[in-house]
Amino acid sequence: MARRKARRTPRRRKSFSISNALFSVGYASILTEGAFKTSAPQFLLGDVVSGYSSGGGISLKELIARPELLETAANNLMSSLPTLVVQSFALGITEKVFKQVMKTPLRRINSGIVTPLLGRGVRV
């Protein structure tokens, strides 16, 4: 009989990318600005973030305390959906251009600074 093919395990990155994390924060910021009318740190931490003031936005703490605010967030999301789509599209293009233009400098930074200091588990 023929051997069965072994199941492939999914490939995962073995390192944490700082640039990918920053772009993910950008996407999170776009989403929280559109739905909750506040920045991502302000949404997660509430009023404890220094330098930010509650400009009438909804924080996670308020959302847990008052679930009816979820309807307000849904209405905000629907009203700002075209803006969110354009901002997300622009951030995606910016990410691709940034990574293409900065490929060589980031590779040099990774090999010369980041890898010796933080190891192979972190990259820029």
Side-chain angles (χ1 to χ4, degrees):
M1 274 181 86
R3 285 186 168 185
R4 288 187 180 188
K5 288 187 177 181
R7 271 185 75 183
R8 291 180 127 183
T9 58
R11 283 187 63 182
R12 294 187 181 104
R13 291 202 181 267
K14 293 179 173 48
S15 61
F16 175 77
S17 172
I18 296 171
S19 61
N20 286 347
L22 290 176
F23 281 109
S24 296
V25 168
Y27 285 114
S29 180
I30 289 171
L31 186 63
T32 56
E33 287 285 338
F36 304 110
K37 304 295 183 203
T38 187
S39 65
Q42 184 72 27
F43 172 72
L44 291 174
L45 302 175
D47 290 331
V48 298
V49 180
S50 63
Y52 291 97
S53 62
S54 179
I58 302 169
S59 69
L60 185 61
K61 183 178 174 183
E62 293 170 338
L63 195 61
I64 292 170
R66 296 176 33 205
E68 66 272 5
L69 289 176
L70 197 58
E71 185 176 329
T72 304
N75 290 337
N76 290 342
L77 189 63
M78 291 312 249
S79 67
S80 62
L81 190 61
T83 306
L84 295 177
V85 168
V86 170
Q87 288 176 345
S88 297
F89 185 71
L91 185 61
I93 291 174
T94 303
E95 180 180 8
K96 288 181 190 233
V97 169
F98 173 79
K99 287 184 177 181
Q100 188 66 35
V101 169
M102 297 299 290
K103 187 183 291 186
T104 302
L106 289 178
R107 187 176 62 233
R108 289 182 180 160
I109 290 170
N110 281 331
S111 65
I113 298 172
V114 176
T115 302
L117 289 176
L118 302 174
R120 296 191 60 97
V122 178
R123 61 189 167 90
V124 176

